[in-house]
Amino acid sequence: MNFSEAATSGLFFHLAPWLVFFPVIGLLINMIFGGKMSEKAVGTVASLASGAAFVVSVLLAYSLNAVHGELQTVPFAEWIHIGQLQLDWTFRVDSLSTVMMLVVSGVGTLIHIYAIGYMHEDVRFHDEVKRFRRFFVFLNLFIAMMMILVSGDSYLMLFVGWEGVGLCSFLLIGFWYDFDTLGRKSTANAEAGKKAFIANRVGDFGFLLAIFTTFWHFGTLQFDGVFEAAAAHPDPYVISAITLFMLIGVTGKSAQVPLYVWLPDAMAGPTPVSALIHAATMVTAGVYLVVRSAPLYSVVHSASYIVAMIGAVTALFAATIAVGQYDIKKVLAYSTISQLGFMVAAVGTGAYVAGIFHLAAHAFFKALLFLSAGSVILGMERGHHHLAHGHGDHADADAHHEDGEVFDPGDMRNMGNLRKQMPVTFWLYLAGTLALAGIFPFAGFWSKDEILLDAKLHAEHFPGVYWLLAIAAFLTAFYMGRQIWMVFYGKERTEVAKHAQESPPIMTVPLMFLAFLAVFGGALNLPFEGFHNLGHWLEYTIGHVEDLPLNLGVAGVSTLLALLAIFLSWLIYGKNPIKAGQPDPLKKALGPIFTGMENKWFVDEGYKAVVLDPFQKLAKFLSITLDWNFWHDWFHESVIYGFFKWLAAFLSDPVDMGIINAVADWLADLTKRSSESLRRLQNGFVRSYALSVLLGVVAILGYLLFK
Amino acid sequence: MTVNLVLFLILATVAVISALGMLLSRNTVYSALFLVLNFATVAVFYLLLGAPFIAITQVTVYAGAIMVLFIFVIMLLGADPLPEGNTLPWQKWLAVGLAVILAVEGTFLISTQKAAGIISSPAADAGNPKLIGQLLFSEYVLPFEATSILLLVAMVGAIVLTSRKKGEER
Amino acid sequence: MDGISVNYYVGLSTILFVIGATGVLIRRNALIIFMSVELMLNAGNLAFVAFASAHDLLNGQVFVFFIMTVAAAEVAVGLALIVAIFRSKKSINVDEINVLKG
């Protein structure tokens, strides 16, 4: 049997469980033997585990293609069999899930390799070797959980992966739980992890409600069963409820308004984590969920519209904030939120292919951007390190913190003209930027264009979505242009920027792969006859998709907007580069609007005022007033304790001493007195005893005589 | 009034008086002697009732052995009358009262029963020791042997009770 | 020579018995008490012999023989007891022998 025969016969589908088990094996090896292995070996094991999962994904996709995209389910283990609830751990291999598998394992593997280089420097910075191993254990666990998520055959299995990746996200955001991003002792990262976890908890609660409602109404959680039942008896009210509850979960996991606030803080995690989890894969789980649940969303238009509007509003809202940020990763974080908004808007308008297309393309270029940003940050860090050594003040890494002035290697205001020091990173970053900005012919151009086109075509059903997205696209190009000008052009604003150093090949080579994908990723689904590859591929799963030809109007408008935005950014940031200490030029031009952008529209403060402060006040009230003062001091101490004391005193004195003891005393006294009187009979005088004998004789004789 | 009755009444009077004498004498020796007299009177009654063997035994065992033993002990312990005491003040009157009631009851019982039999003059061979001996060694052989053991035990007991242990002070 | 009713003998026996019993109860001298007990036994013996004679049977006399034996044994042990008590108490007053009182 040769390879193609094996593929056609469906033999490879039985490999599906290895999607999960390769990463699990990798993490087990690292957990058990990692302590004795070198950094390189640990990283290699983890990368190989992820790479093996990628190979399995490729084989699955190849086999699926060989069987013409027919849905394959691979039963693996019995899970829950309770009454009506029959759930097994089954792997679902269809065209949608294979796309996700390929993206997750492909991008994931590249990021694993990159992380070997990145974490090495990070580790050396903090001098903790054990952390290195832990990091890769978490990364592999994340890959495994993500595979469970995308390969699950039921909503509950999906939820398992959903929670698993949430856990990994929490663990990795707070990876440096004892240092902040600047290397100072702080619990800020742990706080950020907590924030992400709690925000996701709100979303997961909604998702759980959706699962409960689904089971209550349809009696099953298996995808096909639910969709068939929904198609047979579409009950708009119930399905609306399910889809909207699900939407809450989507807003949590995919960082949409109003639950997006955790994602910017999640940048506290190491940069590979930001790239992998908080840009490329985990945050797209919400988009995947909506696409997966397409048969439900297509039933109720209102729910779809809400989804689309939330996506569009998020896209614009996050883009405005991204304009006002100075931290290189924060810009990308808000950009990610914005792009996720694009995807959600796309799937909301029913453009599932466009959504998934943008998901994949975004995974490529946003991972590229994040990793390049990590490279920039490490380059700055190296420059800083070099300076500290060059001046010969202190040999140790903490030297530069002692003067009280903290250097932030991620702040774009500290950079400038880095293309001279870091040329490779510059070109890579530029590729990612152009892809994100949507410049022809980069991947982002094709995917974003398709979303805009869908939104435009369905404008009568989804009013407003197109315009929101178009403005967001304009802002996207603007803030990316701003970033390029600020980071790589102009004059060095600090000494450190002058001494920044290029990153090693282990970091830049994976980036080149990603850059290649970012440039040519559009080929997945070109809007020309015969090139709708992704669309046809996904048709196997989500049904027929209209092949949209290239609409020159929409494409032209968006390209024009992008170019205009980049030109505008050149005018503001490129022509007259801002000097060290100079405020952002936009600040003068926009005034309070820029202040709002700069401060994220005070959303965090608003949440703090509206949700957190009242919650904390309530908690304080509950703990101090209700629990302590009322329950403890008053109820327990005064009422229960007092009553008990009184009762005990009452029982002991009047009852026990007065009644029970008196009765016992009286009984004892009675016995004593009666025995004392009886004792006199036992007087020891033998004559008395004889007398009583005589008395008995007389009495008995008398009785016999007179009876 | 037959001769027998007169004889009985005289002897009965002697027996009662001697018994009362035993009871009321302050001196223990007198009491013992009164009791000897009483036993002797009773022995005469036995003879009158045609029981010469019992009469002889009465004289030898009671009036002889037992009373000698009494006199012996009296001599040993001293015959001084006890000092006056009033330990049980009501005992005497109660005892006498009860005794009177008992006597009345007994008398009443006897007087109300018809006579169980008339004792005529004894037959010549009545109470023949030979017959009693035959009876003892045939029908009552087992109690007789038991009596011998009883006497042996009493003898050993008396010796044990009165003997001094070695080293015990006198 | 006419016979007399056995009731006379029983009456005499009763009287002697009551006198003996009274002696037991009112005298404090242990020896006198013993003598009274002997008197009571004798009263019993007299009744036995009287009935035996009235019924022309010898069993009564055999019983008296046994009673005498028991009385002899009793006196031997009893007097030994009195001697033993006298040794420790220096008294034959039964009222002083009351250590068994309650």
Side-chain angles (χ1 to χ4, degrees):
Chain A
M1 192 189 286
N2 60 30
F3 184 77
S4 60
E5 274 173 29
T8 323
S9 68
L11 202 64
F12 290 147
F13 292 121
H14 297 290
L15 289 173
W18 289 99
L19 287 172
V20 175
F21 288 119
F22 275 129
V24 169
I25 289 168
L27 82 88
L28 286 178
I29 290 174
N30 277 340
M31 263 172 80
I32 297 167
F33 306 110
K36 296 196 171 85
M37 285 153 59
S38 68
E39 281 183 14
K40 285 247 158 53
V42 168
T44 310
V45 166
S47 304
L48 282 178
S50 177
F54 177 66
V55 171
V56 172
S57 306
V58 171
L59 288 175
L60 288 176
Y62 184 80
S63 308
L64 195 65
N65 192 39
V67 297
H68 308 293
E70 202 178 308
L71 165 68
Q72 303 288 329
T73 51
V74 184
F76 177 66
E78 281 191 7
W79 188 26
I80 303 175
H81 284 196
I82 307 168
Q84 204 187 352
L85 183 64
Q86 300 284 326
L87 277 177
D88 292 331
W89 186 3
T90 302
F91 286 85
R92 182 188 178 93
V93 181
D94 62 11
S95 52
L96 176 60
S97 64
T98 46
V99 169
M100 293 300 291
M101 290 169 196
L102 285 169
V103 169
V104 170
S105 57
V107 176
T109 306
L110 291 173
I111 291 171
H112 271 74
I113 297 167
Y114 171 91
I116 300 174
Y118 183 90
M119 291 310 287
H120 175 69
E121 305 211 358
D122 220 3
V123 166
R124 200 164 55 180
F125 187 69
H126 294 292
D127 263 347
E128 274 189 89
V129 184
K130 271 190 181 173
R131 291 270 176 112
F132 195 84
R133 164 173 62 140
R134 193 191 302 163
F135 180 80
F136 282 97
V137 168
F138 288 165
L139 272 196
N140 272 348
L141 181 65
F142 170 78
I143 296 287
M145 284 302 171
M146 198 67 203
M147 286 304 179
I148 290 176
L149 195 161
V150 297
S151 66
D153 190 40
S154 64
Y155 278 110
L156 208 58
M157 208 62 225
L158 190 151
F159 188 71
V160 171
W162 187 274
E163 290 297 310
V165 293
L167 170 71
C168 293
S169 167
F170 166 75
L171 291 172
L172 285 164
I173 292 168
F175 184 71
W176 296 116
Y177 55 85
D178 41 3
F179 296 101
D180 67 5
T181 43
L182 305 180
R184 292 171 298 193
K185 281 273 178 195
S186 153
T187 56
N189 292 357
E191 300 279 338
K194 200 169 76 185
K195 185 175 177 182
F197 204 69
I198 290 169
N200 269 299
R201 201 96 334 262
V202 178
D204 295 347
F205 177 67
F207 188 23
L208 265 182
L209 288 181
I211 290 176
F212 294 154
T213 316
T214 304
F215 184 71
W216 166 71
H217 189 67
F218 296 118
T220 178
L221 290 173
Q222 209 270 333
F223 289 137
D224 291 331
V226 172
F227 301 154
E228 278 164 24
H233 310 285
D235 182 340
Y237 294 107
V238 175
I239 296 179
S240 295
I242 293 171
T243 50
L244 290 177
F245 280 141
M246 215 177 270
L247 181 63
I248 297 173
V250 171
T251 58
K253 192 61 86 191
S254 283
Q256 300 296 296
V257 171
L259 292 177
Y260 72 91
V261 288
W262 64 271
L263 187 57
D265 288 41
M267 295 306 127
T271 303
V273 172
S274 305
L276 177 64
I277 300 184
H278 304 120
T281 54
M282 184 189 85
V283 288
T284 62
V287 181
Y288 168 76
L289 177 64
V290 176
V291 177
R292 180 55 86 199
S293 310
L296 298 180
Y297 280 95
S298 55
V299 172
V300 277
H301 172 74
S302 54
S304 301
Y305 185 55
I306 291 172
V307 174
M309 276 313 283
I310 281 185
V313 167
T314 306
L316 180 59
F317 187 74
T320 59
I321 296 176
V323 171
Q325 296 304 304
Y326 297 110
D327 189 289
I328 187 167
K329 276 177 79 180
K330 281 277 161 67
V331 174
L332 295 176
Y334 281 103
S335 164
T336 303
I337 297 170
S338 172
Q339 296 305 307
L340 288 168
F342 271 87
M343 297 175 216
V344 171
V347 295
T349 56
Y352 300 116
V353 174
I356 293 294
F357 185 24
H358 195 57
L359 188 158
H362 176 257
F364 302 148
F365 61 68
K366 189 51 67 65
L368 171 65
L369 282 171
F370 262 116
L371 298 182
S372 306
S375 173
V376 169
I377 291 168
L378 279 190
M380 293 289 284
E381 197 62 65
R382 278 188 288 265
H384 190 218
H385 199 67
H386 173 79
L387 273 184
H389 273 278
H391 289 282
D393 294 340
H394 299 283
D396 63 319
D398 291 325
H400 41 272
H401 304 312
E402 284 175 6
D403 49 8
E405 186 192 332
V406 177
F407 177 75
D408 185 354
D411 194 330
M412 297 194 290
R413 284 170 298 192
N414 291 335
M415 303 174 185
N417 205 18
L418 281 181
R419 73 175 191 281
K420 217 186 261 170
Q421 274 76 32
M422 307 179 74
V424 182
T425 304
F426 165 66
W427 286 109
L428 294 168
Y429 207 97
L430 190 63
T433 301
L434 293 177
L436 174 55
I439 304 298
F440 180 85
F442 292 87
F445 170 77
W446 305 107
S447 60
K448 200 185 285 178
D449 229 43
E450 197 167 328
I451 291 173
L452 288 172
L453 179 58
D454 272 305
K456 175 109 179 155
L457 289 177
H458 299 112
E460 71 268 32
H461 297 302
F462 300 97
V465 173
Y466 172 73
W467 291 109
L468 288 170
L469 292 181
I471 299 168
F474 170 78
L475 286 173
T476 305
F478 178 77
Y479 63 69
M480 285 318 289
R482 169 177 179 262
Q483 205 171 31
I484 289 288
W485 303 126
M486 279 181 84
V487 175
F488 293 104
Y489 285 88
K491 287 232 168 61
E492 297 90 338
R493 282 184 287 279
T494 54
E495 274 297 301
V496 174
K498 281 181 189 152
H499 293 86
Q501 289 166 15
E502 185 56 272
S503 294
I506 193 159
M507 289 169 69
T508 50
V509 170
L511 294 187
M512 290 170 195
F513 279 101
L514 284 171
F516 175 81
L517 289 168
V519 175
F520 300 105
L524 280 177
N525 199 28
L526 292 177
F528 304 114
E529 196 59 41
F531 287 95
H532 292 94
N533 298 321
L534 188 66
H536 291 304
W537 177 249
L538 288 176
E539 266 181 13
Y540 297 131
T541 301
I542 58 176
H544 179 68
V545 179
E546 201 184 341
D547 293 340
L548 294 175
L550 181 66
N551 187 317
L552 281 177
V554 172
V557 166
S558 63
T559 309
L560 267 180
L561 280 174
L563 289 173
L564 182 66
I566 290 173
F567 175 68
L568 207 59
S569 66
W570 176 76
L571 270 184
I572 297 169
Y573 297 99
K575 203 169 116 191
N576 300 307
I578 45 177
K579 294 171 185 61
Q582 184 193 342
D584 199 298
L586 263 186
K587 197 163 195 156
K588 223 190 280 171
L590 294 178
I593 298 178
F594 188 80
T595 310
M597 293 171 168
E598 201 176 5
N599 292 295
K600 311 153 195 172
W601 299 115
F602 301 100
V603 170
D604 276 338
E605 287 76 3
Y607 277 2
K608 187 164 146 40
V610 175
V611 180
L612 292 183
D613 283 350
F615 184 80
Q616 268 168 356
K617 257 181 217 152
L618 181 69
K620 204 169 253 177
F621 168 78
L622 287 176
S623 77
I624 291 179
T625 309
L626 192 70
D627 184 60
W628 193 255
N629 289 344
F630 176 73
W631 282 113
H632 178 268
D633 280 357
W634 185 75
F635 191 73
H636 285 137
E637 288 286 317
S638 305
V639 176
I640 293 185
Y641 175 67
F643 173 74
F644 191 76
K645 216 164 117 179
W646 174 83
L647 186 69
F650 172 75
L651 286 175
S652 77
D653 207 20
V655 175
D656 188 52
M657 293 303 289
I659 297 175
I660 297 173
N661 197 52
V663 168
D665 276 359
W666 177 78
L667 272 176
D669 207 45
L670 181 73
T671 313
K672 195 173 155 196
R673 265 182 292 159
S674 56
S675 59
E676 243 166 29
S677 51
L678 284 174
R679 200 191 74 170
R680 280 184 209 146
L681 292 178
Q682 189 79 14
N683 56 4
F685 294 117
V686 70
R687 293 191 298 147
S688 294
Y689 305 157
L691 186 65
S692 44
V693 173
L694 182 63
L695 185 65
V697 170
V698 170
I700 291 170
L701 199 59
Y703 171 75
L704 289 173
L705 280 177
F706 302 109
K707 71 175 175 186
Chain B
M1 278 284 226
T2 60
V3 179
N4 270 342
L5 190 58
V6 172
L7 192 60
F8 172 80
L9 286 176
I10 293 169
L11 284 172
T13 312
V14 172
V16 171
I17 287 171
S18 64
L20 286 173
M22 184 276 295
L23 178 65
L24 298 174
S25 287
R26 298 240 58 90
N27 193 316
T28 322
V29 180
Y30 289 177
S31 289
L33 291 176
F34 272 122
L35 196 59
V36 173
L37 179 57
N38 181 272
F39 287 164
T41 317
V42 173
V44 174
F45 275 122
Y46 292 156
L47 282 174
L48 282 177
L49 288 166
F53 173 69
I54 296 298
I56 297 302
T57 319
Q58 171 86 358
V59 171
T60 52
V61 174
Y62 267 118
I66 291 177
M67 286 323 294
V68 167
L69 203 57
F70 264 105
I71 299 294
F72 218 81
V73 172
I74 290 166
M75 293 304 138
L76 187 67
L77 303 183
D80 308 329
L82 292 174
E84 287 298 319
N86 204 15
T87 326
L88 297 166
W90 35 265
Q91 170 90 10
K92 191 174 273 177
W93 309 113
L94 207 54
V96 170
L98 281 171
V100 168
I101 292 170
L102 187 66
V104 169
E105 278 176 349
T107 317
F108 181 77
L109 189 64
I110 293 161
S111 58
T112 50
Q113 304 290 315
K114 71 175 174 55
I118 300 297
I119 296 162
S120 51
S121 34
D125 58 347
N128 187 346
K130 188 182 170 188
L131 290 174
I132 290 174
Q134 278 174 349
L135 206 57
L136 272 176
F137 287 103
S138 58
E139 201 179 332
Y140 293 99
V141 67
L142 211 61
F144 184 80
E145 293 302 330
T147 320
S148 67
I149 295 171
L150 180 71
L151 285 173
L152 181 66
V153 170
M155 191 168 72
V156 172
I159 292 169
V160 167
L161 279 170
T162 50
S163 70
R164 290 196 173 75
K165 293 190 184 75
K166 224 184 227 175
E168 190 180 338
E169 266 190 60
R170 195 188 153 74
Chain C
M1 210 161 124
D2 300 318
I4 54 169
S5 169
V6 73
N7 285 9
Y8 289 102
Y9 283 100
V10 178
L12 176 62
S13 168
T14 307
I15 288 166
L16 290 180
F17 185 87
V18 170
I19 290 171
T22 314
V24 170
L25 291 177
I26 64 173
R27 296 303 299 257
R28 291 173 292 151
N29 191 321
L31 289 166
I32 305 288
I33 287 172
F34 252 100
M35 291 180 201
S36 302
V37 171
E38 295 304 318
L39 186 61
M40 287 162 81
L41 286 168
N42 254 284
N45 286 354
L46 186 58
F48 263 116
V49 174
F51 281 118
S53 188
H55 291 285
D56 238 350
L57 284 169
L58 282 177
N59 302 51
Q61 293 188 29
V62 173
F63 262 93
V64 170
F65 176 78
F66 284 135
I67 290 169
M68 279 179 180
T69 323
V70 171
E74 177 230 327
V75 166
V77 175
L79 286 177
L81 277 171
I82 288 172
V83 170
I85 290 168
F86 182 81
R87 274 192 199 143
S88 60
K89 285 267 179 188
K90 303 290 174 217
S91 168
I92 49 170
N93 187 347
V94 290
D95 284 1
E96 291 179 20
I97 310 166
N98 59 353
V99 287
L100 215 64
K101 69 180 173 194

mmCIF file with all atom_site columns, all heavy atoms in Angstrom, chain B residues 110 113-118, chain C residues 5-7:
data_model
loop_
_atom_site.group_PDB
_atom_site.id
_atom_site.type_symbol
_atom_site.label_atom_id
_atom_site.label_alt_id
_atom_site.label_comp_id
_atom_site.label_asym_id
_atom_site.label_entity_id
_atom_site.label_seq_id
_atom_site.pdbx_PDB_ins_code
_atom_site.Cartn_x
_atom_site.Cartn_y
_atom_site.Cartn_z
_atom_site.occupancy
_atom_site.B_iso_or_equiv
_atom_site.pdbx_formal_charge
_atom_site.auth_seq_id
_atom_site.auth_comp_id
_atom_site.auth_asym_id
_atom_site.auth_atom_id
_atom_site.pdbx_PDB_model_num
ATOM 1  N N   . ILE B 1 110 ? -53.585 -26.764 122.649 1.00 0.00 ? 110 ILE B N   1
ATOM 2  C CA  . ILE B 1 110 ? -53.726 -28.072 123.303 1.00 0.00 ? 110 ILE B CA  1
ATOM 3  C C   . ILE B 1 110 ? -55.152 -28.281 123.779 1.00 0.00 ? 110 ILE B C   1
ATOM 4  O O   . ILE B 1 110 ? -55.744 -29.334 123.561 1.00 0.00 ? 110 ILE B O   1
ATOM 5  C CB  . ILE B 1 110 ? -52.740 -28.177 124.488 1.00 0.00 ? 110 ILE B CB  1
ATOM 6  C CG1 . ILE B 1 110 ? -51.306 -28.185 123.935 1.00 0.00 ? 110 ILE B CG1 1
ATOM 7  C CG2 . ILE B 1 110 ? -53.003 -29.421 125.321 1.00 0.00 ? 110 ILE B CG2 1
ATOM 8  C CD1 . ILE B 1 110 ? -50.286 -27.838 124.973 1.00 0.00 ? 110 ILE B CD1 1
ATOM 9  N N   . GLN B 1 113 ? -57.582 -29.109 120.954 1.00 0.00 ? 113 GLN B N   1
ATOM 10 C CA  . GLN B 1 113 ? -57.452 -30.393 120.267 1.00 0.00 ? 113 GLN B CA  1
ATOM 11 C C   . GLN B 1 113 ? -58.019 -31.489 121.161 1.00 0.00 ? 113 GLN B C   1
ATOM 12 O O   . GLN B 1 113 ? -57.941 -31.436 122.390 1.00 0.00 ? 113 GLN B O   1
ATOM 13 C CB  . GLN B 1 113 ? -55.962 -30.697 119.992 1.00 0.00 ? 113 GLN B CB  1
ATOM 14 C CG  . GLN B 1 113 ? -55.241 -29.640 119.207 1.00 0.00 ? 113 GLN B CG  1
ATOM 15 C CD  . GLN B 1 113 ? -55.712 -29.610 117.765 1.00 0.00 ? 113 GLN B CD  1
ATOM 16 O OE1 . GLN B 1 113 ? -55.853 -30.632 117.136 1.00 0.00 ? 113 GLN B OE1 1
ATOM 17 N NE2 . GLN B 1 113 ? -56.009 -28.403 117.278 1.00 0.00 ? 113 GLN B NE2 1
ATOM 18 N N   . LYS B 1 114 ? -58.591 -32.472 120.487 1.00 0.00 ? 114 LYS B N   1
ATOM 19 C CA  . LYS B 1 114 ? -58.991 -33.627 121.306 1.00 0.00 ? 114 LYS B CA  1
ATOM 20 C C   . LYS B 1 114 ? -57.732 -34.409 121.655 1.00 0.00 ? 114 LYS B C   1
ATOM 21 O O   . LYS B 1 114 ? -56.738 -34.348 120.944 1.00 0.00 ? 114 LYS B O   1
ATOM 22 C CB  . LYS B 1 114 ? -60.004 -34.509 120.560 1.00 0.00 ? 114 LYS B CB  1
ATOM 23 C CG  . LYS B 1 114 ? -59.446 -35.296 119.382 1.00 0.00 ? 114 LYS B CG  1
ATOM 24 C CD  . LYS B 1 114 ? -60.565 -36.204 118.856 1.00 0.00 ? 114 LYS B CD  1
ATOM 25 C CE  . LYS B 1 114 ? -60.189 -36.929 117.590 1.00 0.00 ? 114 LYS B CE  1
ATOM 26 N NZ  . LYS B 1 114 ? -59.014 -37.704 117.587 1.00 0.00 ? 114 LYS B NZ  1
ATOM 27 N N   . ALA B 1 115 ? -57.834 -35.121 122.732 1.00 0.00 ? 115 ALA B N   1
ATOM 28 C CA  . ALA B 1 115 ? -56.639 -35.784 123.245 1.00 0.00 ? 115 ALA B CA  1
ATOM 29 C C   . ALA B 1 115 ? -56.069 -36.742 122.228 1.00 0.00 ? 115 ALA B C   1
ATOM 30 O O   . ALA B 1 115 ? -56.780 -37.518 121.605 1.00 0.00 ? 115 ALA B O   1
ATOM 31 C CB  . ALA B 1 115 ? -57.012 -36.569 124.515 1.00 0.00 ? 115 ALA B CB  1
ATOM 32 N N   . ALA B 1 116 ? -54.745 -36.622 122.015 1.00 0.00 ? 116 ALA B N   1
ATOM 33 C CA  . ALA B 1 116 ? -54.098 -37.459 120.996 1.00 0.00 ? 116 ALA B CA  1
ATOM 34 C C   . ALA B 1 116 ? -54.005 -38.904 121.460 1.00 0.00 ? 116 ALA B C   1
ATOM 35 O O   . ALA B 1 116 ? -53.873 -39.813 120.669 1.00 0.00 ? 116 ALA B O   1
ATOM 36 C CB  . ALA B 1 116 ? -52.715 -36.909 120.703 1.00 0.00 ? 116 ALA B CB  1
ATOM 37 N N   . GLY B 1 117 ? -54.132 -39.083 122.772 1.00 0.00 ? 117 GLY B N   1
ATOM 38 C CA  . GLY B 1 117 ? -54.100 -40.460 123.243 1.00 0.00 ? 117 GLY B CA  1
ATOM 39 C C   . GLY B 1 117 ? -53.997 -40.479 124.773 1.00 0.00 ? 117 GLY B C   1
ATOM 40 O O   . GLY B 1 117 ? -53.722 -39.461 125.389 1.00 0.00 ? 117 GLY B O   1
ATOM 41 N N   . ILE B 1 118 ? -54.283 -41.573 125.284 1.00 0.00 ? 118 ILE B N   1
ATOM 42 C CA  . ILE B 1 118 ? -54.203 -41.704 126.742 1.00 0.00 ? 118 ILE B CA  1
ATOM 43 C C   . ILE B 1 118 ? -52.971 -42.548 127.064 1.00 0.00 ? 118 ILE B C   1
ATOM 44 O O   . ILE B 1 118 ? -52.731 -43.589 126.454 1.00 0.00 ? 118 ILE B O   1
ATOM 45 C CB  . ILE B 1 118 ? -55.451 -42.422 127.290 1.00 0.00 ? 118 ILE B CB  1
ATOM 46 C CG1 . ILE B 1 118 ? -56.711 -41.612 126.936 1.00 0.00 ? 118 ILE B CG1 1
ATOM 47 C CG2 . ILE B 1 118 ? -55.348 -42.607 128.806 1.00 0.00 ? 118 ILE B CG2 1
ATOM 48 C CD1 . ILE B 1 118 ? -56.769 -40.232 127.550 1.00 0.00 ? 118 ILE B CD1 1
ATOM 49 N N   . SER C 2 5   ? -54.128 -38.041 130.158 1.00 0.00 ? 5   SER C N   1
ATOM 50 C CA  . SER C 2 5   ? -54.110 -37.539 128.752 1.00 0.00 ? 5   SER C CA  1
ATOM 51 C C   . SER C 2 5   ? -52.702 -37.053 128.380 1.00 0.00 ? 5   SER C C   1
ATOM 52 O O   . SER C 2 5   ? -51.983 -36.458 129.187 1.00 0.00 ? 5   SER C O   1
ATOM 53 C CB  . SER C 2 5   ? -55.099 -36.388 128.593 1.00 0.00 ? 5   SER C CB  1
ATOM 54 O OG  . SER C 2 5   ? -54.913 -35.760 127.387 1.00 0.00 ? 5   SER C OG  1
ATOM 55 N N   . VAL C 2 6   ? -52.359 -37.323 127.153 1.00 0.00 ? 6   VAL C N   1
ATOM 56 C CA  . VAL C 2 6   ? -51.053 -36.857 126.667 1.00 0.00 ? 6   VAL C CA  1
ATOM 57 C C   . VAL C 2 6   ? -50.975 -35.326 126.659 1.00 0.00 ? 6   VAL C C   1
ATOM 58 O O   . VAL C 2 6   ? -49.911 -34.734 126.688 1.00 0.00 ? 6   VAL C O   1
ATOM 59 C CB  . VAL C 2 6   ? -50.783 -37.452 125.273 1.00 0.00 ? 6   VAL C CB  1
ATOM 60 C CG1 . VAL C 2 6   ? -51.651 -36.787 124.229 1.00 0.00 ? 6   VAL C CG1 1
ATOM 61 C CG2 . VAL C 2 6   ? -49.304 -37.336 124.923 1.00 0.00 ? 6   VAL C CG2 1
ATOM 62 N N   . ASN C 2 7   ? -52.167 -34.704 126.658 1.00 0.00 ? 7   ASN C N   1
ATOM 63 C CA  . ASN C 2 7   ? -52.215 -33.241 126.631 1.00 0.00 ? 7   ASN C CA  1
ATOM 64 C C   . ASN C 2 7   ? -51.537 -32.630 127.844 1.00 0.00 ? 7   ASN C C   1
ATOM 65 O O   . ASN C 2 7   ? -50.969 -31.544 127.769 1.00 0.00 ? 7   ASN C O   1
ATOM 66 C CB  . ASN C 2 7   ? -53.664 -32.777 126.565 1.00 0.00 ? 7   ASN C CB  1
ATOM 67 C CG  . ASN C 2 7   ? -54.241 -33.000 125.156 1.00 0.00 ? 7   ASN C CG  1
ATOM 68 O OD1 . ASN C 2 7   ? -53.591 -33.643 124.323 1.00 0.00 ? 7   ASN C OD1 1
ATOM 69 N ND2 . ASN C 2 7   ? -55.413 -32.488 124.917 1.00 0.00 ? 7   ASN C ND2 1
#
